[in-house]
Amino acid sequence: MENYFSIGEVSKYQNISKQTLIFYDKIGLFRPAYVDPDNGYRYYSASQIDQLDTILIMKRIGFSLKEIREHMQHYNIDSSLAAFRRQVASIDRQIEELRLIRSRVLHRCAQMEASKAYCRADNPVLVEEVGARHILCRDVPPPYTLKEISIATKQCFADSFQEKLPIFFQSGVIVPLAHILAGRYTEATVAFLSIEETDRAPNVRRLPAGTCASLCHVGDYPSIGRSYRKLLQYCADHALKIVSDSHEFCINDYITSRDEAEYITKIEFYVERA
């Protein structure tokens, strides 16, 4: 048809699929100027090409199709300026969120690299001063099996994602000292995620600064007892009094390895010199 573009021509000129143009037609965002009643072919006018440019640019900027459709029903310089300023604010929020995510990923990389080197040194026990930290907690219900621990951990992640909390991508658990002394090494009563200090969640605990004895366990979680026995013996041999439950931090887990033999779990007690 003269002075009209077929859907194939528009698809080619704008580098957009025919299926997308058909979808835009169905949702009322970009409808053809003419549809042949005999064969159903869609045709677009020259002025519509500019309209499609506007749609594609707004989509690239980050507007949703619903926002674009509502905006284009009636728009002028003032309404466009207001919409674009709102989008700038949205982009700024996304940039800040991406910066936060980037820092968390780099933190996880640094932990994994440090732990790989640490574990090559025959798993030494470390006694060191640590600063204050914060954890987002979920109680693990009895009987404290790996199933209950896994569910509580996933609930922590779900809560943090929904509320956009400043978590690190690191999970962990708290195992009562009484459980450990009784040989019940995997019976954690609290699951947690490492998190920045925040008042946006009621279930955030502060781990105080202090002296900690720690050891990295390499291997699947059910075998963690051997590392606990080593750490307990070290504390006894070096006159270190354990004054806390155990805090376990996952360094390498199912998120970063399919091989459980590669799992790395840092187990840590607060201690005092006897």
Side-chain angles (χ1 to χ4, degrees), residues 214-273:
S214 64
L215 174 66
C216 277
H217 171 72
V218 181
D220 63 8
Y221 192 60
S223 66
I224 201 168
R226 70 172 185 266
S227 293
Y228 269 116
R229 290 188 290 271
K230 181 176 180 179
L231 184 54
L232 291 172
Q233 189 61 53
Y234 180 94
C235 290
D237 293 344
H238 292 78
L240 295 173
K241 180 183 178 183
I242 298 173
V243 294
S244 74
D245 294 332
S246 169
H247 297 92
E248 297 179 3
F249 297 86
C250 296
I251 306 298
N252 190 41
D253 55 14
Y254 65 92
I255 295 175
T256 49
S257 180
R258 293 183 62 181
D259 185 357
E260 293 188 10
E262 292 184 342
Y263 285 8
I264 302 173
T265 306
K266 183 179 181 181
I267 54 180
E268 178 182 280
F269 291 113
Y270 284 89
V271 295
E272 295 176 352
R273 299 285 180 182

Side-chain angles (χ1 to χ4, degrees), residues 117-127 213-216 230-231 234:
Y118 173 57
C119 293
R120 283 195 294 266
D122 194 29
N123 295 5
V125 173
L126 293 180
V127 179
S214 64
L215 174 66
C216 277
K230 181 176 180 179
L231 184 54
Y234 180 94

Side-chain angles (χ1 to χ4, degrees), residues 1-6 9-10 13-14 30-34 43-54:
M1 291 180 59
E2 189 176 355
N3 299 324
Y4 282 90
F5 298 94
S6 70
E9 290 172 323
V10 174
Y13 297 151
Q14 301 288 68
F30 184 66
R31 287 178 169 158
Y34 175 75
Y43 294 92
Y44 301 86
S45 67
S47 63
Q48 283 188 293
I49 304 302
D50 292 339
Q51 184 183 6
L52 183 56
D53 273 341
T54 303

Side-chain angles (χ1 to χ4, degrees), residues 16-211:
I16 184 173
S17 71
K18 293 179 183 179
Q19 289 76 14
T20 299
L21 289 169
I22 293 171
F23 176 69
Y24 285 177
D25 180 11
K26 288 181 177 179
I27 66 174
L29 175 61
F30 184 66
R31 287 178 169 158
Y34 175 75
V35 178
D36 191 313
D38 295 327
N39 54 31
Y41 288 177
R42 294 169 168 84
Y43 294 92
Y44 301 86
S45 67
S47 63
Q48 283 188 293
I49 304 302
D50 292 339
Q51 184 183 6
L52 183 56
D53 273 341
T54 303
I55 292 171
L56 297 179
I57 289 170
M58 292 187 71
K59 187 171 182 290
R60 177 62 176 166
I61 291 172
F63 289 96
S64 69
L65 295 182
K66 179 182 178 183
E67 290 171 330
I68 297 171
R69 184 178 59 200
E70 293 174 352
H71 173 75
M72 296 192 67
Q73 289 176 359
H74 177 72
Y75 66 100
N76 54 31
I77 187 171
D78 292 328
S79 64
S80 295
L81 178 60
F84 278 39
R85 288 198 180 280
R86 288 195 300 270
Q87 193 61 17
V88 168
S90 175
I91 291 169
D92 287 341
R93 289 192 295 271
Q94 293 175 51
I95 289 172
E96 189 58 35
E97 184 174 354
L98 285 172
R99 284 176 177 163
L100 180 64
I101 292 173
R102 182 180 185 275
S103 70
R104 298 302 189 256
V105 174
L106 287 174
H107 177 266
R108 185 69 183 257
C109 289
Q111 281 191 321
M112 292 167 66
E113 289 169 351
S115 292
K116 282 181 66 178
Y118 173 57
C119 293
R120 283 195 294 266
D122 194 29
N123 295 5
V125 173
L126 293 180
V127 179
E128 57 186 346
E129 297 298 318
V130 301
R133 297 156 295 173
H134 294 81
I135 53 177
L136 177 72
C137 299
R138 269 273 189 171
D139 289 339
V140 176
Y144 315 119
T145 68
L146 297 183
K147 176 183 177 181
E148 285 80 34
I149 293 171
S150 177
I151 292 172
T153 300
K154 288 170 174 55
Q155 288 173 330
C156 280
F157 275 116
D159 292 344
S160 68
F161 293 157
Q162 181 176 353
E163 300 300 328
K164 296 184 178 180
L165 299 176
I167 64 164
F168 295 88
F169 300 131
Q170 180 183 51
S171 61
V173 295
I174 298 176
V175 185
L177 180 59
H179 287 192
I180 295 164
L181 295 178
R184 295 153 53 196
Y185 305 110
T186 63
E187 292 187 11
T189 57
V190 174
F192 66 78
L193 303 178
S194 297
I195 189 172
E196 286 185 357
E197 183 177 5
T198 179
D199 58 2
R200 291 165 50 202
N203 51 330
V204 173
R205 297 187 192 179
R206 181 179 184 272
L207 301 181
T211 305

